[in-house]
Amino acid sequence: MRPLTEEETKTMFEKLSKYIGENIKLLVDRPDGTYCFRLQNDRVYYMSEKILKLATNISRDKLVSVGTCFGKFTKTNKFRLHITALDFLAPYAKFKVWVKPGAEQSFLYGNHVLKSGLGRITENTQQYQGVVVYSMADVPLGFGVAAKNTQECRRVDPMSIVVFHQADVGEFIRNEDTLT
Amino acid sequence: MRRLYVGGLSHTVTQKDLKDRFGKFGEVEDVELRTRTDEEGVPYKTFSYININISDADLKKCLTVLNKSKWKGGTLQIETAKESFLDRLAEEREAAEEQRQQPRVVEDKRQKMLDSLSKAGVENFTMKAAVPGTEVPGHKDWVVSKFGRVLPVLQLQGQKGSKARTLKYDPSKYSHNIRRLDRTAEDQPTPVTQLTWEVQGGDDDISKKRRGEFPPFEPSRPKKSRTDKVNSHNAVGQTRLKQSVNSVNHREIYPLTNGYEPPTNHRPAQRKEVRYPGSDVDSDEEIRRMVAAQDSSRFTLGRKEEDEDNLEVVGLDYLVRAGRKDDEGENDYDSADTDELLASKKPPLTSTQERLTPPTENHLSGNDTDRRKKKKKTRTAGEEEESSAKAEDQLTSRKPSSEQQREDSGKKSSQGQSEKIVVIPVVEAPHSESDSDEDEEEEEDEDEEELDLANDSDSDSDYDAMFANVTHLEISLADLQRIAEESEQTSETTTPSIPGSSSEQEHKPKSASAPKKGTTPEEILASIMAEDSSEDEQTMRKKKKKRKAAMSMPLPAFQGTKTLNKESELEDSQRRHEGEEEGGEEVKKQKLDSEAPQLNLHETDSKTTRMTREAGRETTESSEEEEEEEEEGKTEEEQEDEEEEEKEDKKEVVKDKDAQGVGNTEKTEPDSSSSSDEDDDEEEEEGEVTKTGPSVLTKAAAKASPSSSTSSSGEDEDKLVSAKVAAKAAPPPAHQSESSSSSSSSSSSEEEEEEERPAPLHRVPLGAKEEEERQREANMRRLAAVQQRQKETEEHKKLIQGALANLDGPAAGGGKHIVFGSDDDDDDDEEEKQQVTLGVTASKKTLFQDSQSEEEATDDEAAANKEGGEKGKVHLKPSVSQLFSGSEDEEDGDEEEDSSRFDIRPQFEGRAGQKLMELQSRFGTDERFRMDSRFLEDDNKEEEPEKKTSVDDEALEEERKKNLSILQSVLGSSQQTSSSKTSVKAKTFRDVSALHYDPSKEEHAAFETKTEETKESKAARRRKREEAQKLPEVSKEIYYDVSGDLKAVFGASKDEVTEEEEKPNWDQEEEEEEEEEEEGDPKNEQSTLLSSLLSADQSAEKDESSGFKFSFFGDETETESKQTEEYKVESIQAPKVSWQQDPRFHDSSSEEDEEEQEEDETQSSITAKTAEEETPSNNHRFFFFLEDSRLTEGPRLFCRPAHLEEQREQWEERRTALRQEYRKKHKDARKKVKSSQKS
């Protein structure tokens, strides 16, 4: 477990900023305590200082998970967001997409969100903007990337994809073994 | 009458205008002005409908005159309109009504006929024991034939060919020709609906249809194209089968309907519906179908299509309401279950089902919910519910036993047994009664308390409060409704079942709510009267009375008491006689007495009977009545007896008073005394009752027991109440035993009931006038009492509040911990008790006054009702007000505490404090283990490791900072702004175009100063001028110094000279100077200005390089600096630095100026101020700015804009043109002259 290098931090923040923008600051600079990002097994964990200290007692190879996994670095050093970060990102999300109840399941099975399943969308969402997907009951379901901007979303035909799937809470079940 | 549509009106047109305008043509009956407004409420269309009596000619005239005429800015458009739909509707209805009435007349006729026939002894067209061939007596046209069959004499119309027009058929001649076809069956015509036969058949659709089982109607047919539509059109009259054949291609969508429809049925329909708008639909049928399809689709279809259209787009600030799922209304937004998804193709649950469920729920849950709701309305405190529920529980638990007993008794109907059985609750009472009144009651209370464990004063009072506003009449009504059902069930049994009593309670609340309809008893009475049942009731009552009179079943015990009370009234004496007679029939009485405790049940019986009557279930009622006749004869009369006892008690009292009042001619007795009298009387009565033989005793016991039950809680007030109640009302016990917690309220309500009934009784003995008088008196007294009571209650409230506030004060102040100990509570209780006693003593008087007045106001039911309510309140007040005030106070205290609760207490502040807190929290809030700061260890040791950890913290901090910096880089500009907050002052970019002066902003004060200065400058200018006039001498010397430098700067001595010469000129005469400057070489001026500009630019550059200061007034300051520069040439004396050589001089000066400007508001030095003040004045004097257009234009004036040749050419051209023009004019003039001469 080690702190992230500058490069890593940058890539990660770049990714995160797609979803929550400058609200990352609220994650880094929290009033309720010191929180930090740590890399372990290519995975980035977000944890409080307290937990960090506790975790120091565990050897690196034995440490499976600590704090909250935000995502992992791929072999090509790209950062991939994990669904576990949803709890931290959803409250700060700038752009949101609400899916209709009928399309919820589809999304939770890892499919993209089609126009027909799009219930509501934040205005001024740009193309390829990271969005947090909500159910119509305002339950965060996962992450996505807007395939179209808001205006286009109005016009496109019902079967076109409006949000690319990134991560969804269904992964908690589907990828139970790999999610940490 | 015609109805005209008038369109194109202006919005200002009023009805009157229209009336006036159209009044010329006919009589305007009605003007209906309509204005259409858009969403913003701006009217865009105004029109009106006018009902006008107008002849056709007039109408024509009107149309020609007014139609398309302009009026008040609008073009009128008049058309004849259809009659108002309301009128039409009314007409239609009238017509329908008439139609309906007509056949009735026919029916009536027939009925009459039948009646008359039946009168003559004809039954169902058969007359028994009549000689065949004879006329029916009274009916010429009817003849009795064989088998007693009555036949009419018929006039038959002959056939066309025959001679005789009419044939008379006289059945008497053919009477013997009749043959009975069916001997066994009576010739009762079976209704058509019952004419059934069975159709054999399988489960296929055809046989089903044969049997009349048609599949549900399908609103819409599939149609793909026009041709299809045509097909369907053709098929309208044809069979469904054919249609389906026609639309074969849609078969899978619309299969031949067989009983069950495929679940996916609606889907195609929807699809088609979507298609509909495209195809042009003309026929009505199709439109109808379309509408139906839409309707159905709205329910059944998935909302896919619908939703697709309304994609919501929300703003960035859209609030996510997490966990809204439980919201019922948001159902459709719920996450879809897999089941739901699977079922999504099926029609969603119809809303009707959902709608249905709540009522059923209500129904199932019983009246409880209803009752509670209603209760809530009447309730003053929230706890009442609980209490009432408790009471109910009690009752229900209790009732059964008594009921059982009662039933047993009823079955056995042996006095002894019944006595034995019934007495149990009662037995103790009589014994105790003999001791002393108060004590006895207390004991009874205790006994009762044992029985009713859950009762407390609160519930009592609450219950009272609940029923305070309740009129009992309605209670009975409500009860009746419910009991009707039960009575049906139990109609066979002589005694009504237990549930009645228990359920009765449940109904009470209903009744409680009922009074809202009519708060005053009169209203209620009226409402009751309106119902059919009321009549029955009344008749029943009358019957009862009659029965009573006949059977002479009066109030034995009480008459006895009366006699003991030495009431001397004829009626009473009579009754007494009756009572004595009754006394002779001790057996009966005893039985009755023994049943006394079950009175409540009897009451319920009576209620049930009443109910049944009300409900109009005459059959059951009659049977019940018959069956219960005996029972009621006893029970009801018993009740009545008891009630009458009460009444008579009251009457007695009243009469006493009346007698006293009349005899002594005292208008009003002192209320208190009278009340005490009453009390005494009551007590006496009780005492006497005890003396009056065993039967009486039992009765008294019966009486006492309910009272005791009423005063189940040991509170003083309750006791008082119970005493009163016991003395006054025997029947209340019934209710009280039911609603064991309710004492006064029920009694009051009872009283109402009583009052209803006694009314006639009273009227008999007392003259109407007397009554009136009494009423008035009672009213007066009541009002006075009410006022007094209100006052007292208020006082009482205050007292309690004060007391409680005091209580809470220290608790709130000293209580750092919330102590849940019992001490405080006890204290509270004590306090409360005290208060209660106080309140009771205070309200005692009023109470009795009330009772008195109530009793007097027998007829004034409203008054009584109020009284009841008031009384209830009074009873309530002590406890309720306590409750409230207490709670309020507590709340107040709590609020204070709450506010301070979350403050960090001083001892917990800081790290040490935190530790202390932790320590303390380990031991909870127990005072004994409270940890002091003494328990805190020294922190010194612990701080060292913290330092170690702080190293880590630092590392983390660094990391954090690094992260932040990376974040900045990632986010770019947006992050920078936030990060640069610390250095905001250094770099401020102000967009000049976007900058607006905002007086509320401090920064913008800088803008203000200038305007002020310009104002000041006027005054200051003169001074300065004067000063300037003086100055020159001094300045000259300096000037020379400066000039040397200037020389160095500009290198041109001439410039210097000019400037030198100019300077003094300025000071003396501005205008001259202007001219001079203009006349003088402007280029010099320009050069100097340029240089200054340059320097300014340099300074600006400097600024940018150093601090990047780009401000709105930065420019001005720079210009100012230039201007000041000119002036400061004079003012600055012998600068040490050779400032002209220093290119940064201007810069520095400008900076100074800036500073001065900024500091201007914050008391800058006077010198600086003066300098600043001078600058504007300079501004005025010095006419040349940097980009002064004059400087550029001026020089041009001195040289020719064009060459001389060119100018000449221009002139040539012009000249020719002018010449031509002149010639032309000349010609014209000449022509004119010529023409004039000719003419």
Side-chain angles (χ1 to χ4, degrees), chain A residues 3-6 9-10 13-14 17 21-22 24-25 28-29 34 36-38 49 52-53 94-96 98 100-102 104-105 109 115-116 118-124 134-139 150 153-154 158, chain B residues 303-304 306-325 330 332-338 340-341 949 952-953 956-957 959-964 966-967 969-971 974-975 978:
Chain A
L4 278 73
T5 64
E6 202 162 314
T9 313
K10 204 173 175 190
F13 280 179
E14 266 164 8
S17 69
E22 68 269 19
I24 301 174
K25 201 158 62 93
V28 177
D29 194 7
T34 317
C36 57
F37 292 97
R38 282 290 179 278
E49 170 204 17
L52 177 68
K53 275 171 192 159
K94 296 186 109 183
F95 295 94
K96 297 166 188 167
W98 286 262
K100 289 177 187 165
E104 248 172 57
Q105 199 185 38
Y109 281 177
K115 164 74 192 322
S116 59
L118 184 67
R120 195 187 293 154
I121 188 168
T122 313
E123 66 183 351
N124 296 332
Y134 283 82
S135 75
M136 289 310 270
D138 285 338
V139 177
T150 305
C153 282
R154 286 173 187 273
Chain B
R303 52 192 101 78
K304 239 185 192 173
E306 238 181 7
D307 285 3
E308 255 169 24
D309 291 334
N310 48 11
L311 164 65
E312 267 181 90
V313 175
V314 294
L316 285 170
D317 51 349
Y318 179 82
L319 260 184
V320 172
R321 289 178 292 158
R324 263 189 321 190
K325 277 180 276 176
E330 228 78 29
D332 44 347
Y333 280 167
D334 265 359
S335 306
D337 292 345
T338 47
E340 260 179 74
L341 285 170
T949 57
D952 292 345
D953 286 344
L956 282 171
E957 186 68 17
E959 192 191 323
R960 195 171 64 82
K961 272 175 190 166
K962 208 174 80 181
N963 279 352
L964 280 176
I966 292 166
L967 189 61
S969 66
V970 166
L971 292 173
S974 61
Q975 189 56 27
S978 58

Side-chain angles (χ1 to χ4, degrees), chain A residues 5-74:
Chain A
T5 64
E6 202 162 314
E7 192 59 30
E8 285 164 346
T9 313
K10 204 173 175 190
T11 44
M12 191 188 73
F13 280 179
E14 266 164 8
K15 178 68 95 175
L16 288 185
S17 69
K18 280 181 181 159
Y19 293 93
I20 59 175
E22 68 269 19
N23 288 336
I24 301 174
K25 201 158 62 93
L26 300 173
L27 289 176
V28 177
D29 194 7
R30 273 168 74 148
D32 58 337
T34 317
Y35 281 74
C36 57
F37 292 97
R38 282 290 179 278
L39 190 79
Q40 158 79 7
N41 281 341
D42 278 345
R43 281 175 170 76
V44 177
Y45 294 94
Y46 180 65
M47 72 199 80
S48 76
E49 170 204 17
K50 211 186 259 174
I51 287 173
L52 177 68
K53 275 171 192 159
L54 292 173
T56 51
N57 297 324
I58 299 162
S59 65
R60 216 186 286 173
D61 54 332
K62 295 278 164 49
L63 186 64
V64 174
S65 172
V66 60
T68 306
C69 181
F70 259 47
K72 72 168 188 182
F73 282 102
T74 60

Side-chain angles (χ1 to χ4, degrees), chain B residues 197-202 204-215:
Chain B
W197 63 90
E198 206 159 294
V199 178
Q200 303 287 330
D204 54 337
D205 44 27
I206 295 232
S207 51
K208 263 189 180 170
K209 270 188 207 161
R210 270 187 200 144
R211 272 174 279 155
E213 296 170 20
F214 290 102

Side-chain angles (χ1 to χ4, degrees), chain B residues 1099-1229:
Chain B
S1099 73
E1101 279 168 38
K1102 273 267 165 65
D1103 272 353
E1104 278 173 274
S1105 62
S1106 62
F1108 183 61
K1109 177 97 185 177
F1110 184 87
S1111 73
F1112 179 59
F1113 39 81
D1115 280 302
E1116 286 184 23
T1117 52
E1118 279 160 18
T1119 56
E1120 273 173 41
S1121 69
K1122 287 165 236 151
Q1123 289 151 15
T1124 51
E1125 163 211 2
E1126 298 294 328
Y1127 191 79
K1128 269 172 186 170
V1129 170
E1130 298 172 334
S1131 63
I1132 292 172
Q1133 296 199 354
K1136 284 174 184 176
V1137 189
S1138 59
W1139 50 275
Q1140 265 90 358
Q1141 284 174 339
D1142 189 357
R1144 289 190 62 183
F1145 172 76
H1146 300 298
D1147 184 19
S1148 67
S1149 74
S1150 72
E1151 271 176 357
E1152 272 175 16
D1153 279 5
E1154 273 178 24
E1155 279 170 7
E1156 283 166 3
Q1157 272 194 339
E1158 280 167 0
E1159 286 169 5
D1160 187 27
E1161 291 298 305
T1162 61
Q1163 304 164 356
S1164 61
S1165 65
I1166 301 162
T1167 55
K1169 245 192 182 173
T1170 53
E1172 272 200 335
E1173 281 169 0
E1174 283 161 2
T1175 53
S1177 65
N1178 273 356
N1179 206 5
H1180 180 80
R1181 231 177 259 171
F1182 191 64
F1183 277 83
F1184 294 98
F1185 316 113
L1186 250 184
E1187 303 120 340
D1188 201 338
S1189 58
R1190 285 175 294 181
L1191 288 179
T1192 54
E1193 286 170 5
R1196 269 179 220 156
L1197 293 174
F1198 291 96
C1199 53
R1200 273 200 192 101
H1203 285 289
L1204 203 71
E1205 297 280 329
E1206 286 173 356
Q1207 276 185 334
R1208 231 172 240 164
E1209 280 173 10
Q1210 277 179 354
W1211 167 240
E1212 291 290 333
E1213 282 173 13
R1214 195 108 191 265
R1215 203 170 54 166
T1216 53
L1218 281 170
R1219 246 183 220 162
Q1220 280 176 354
E1221 207 177 343
Y1222 170 70
R1223 275 177 192 164
K1224 200 183 176 188
K1225 273 183 183 171
H1226 189 66
K1227 268 184 191 170
D1228 288 348

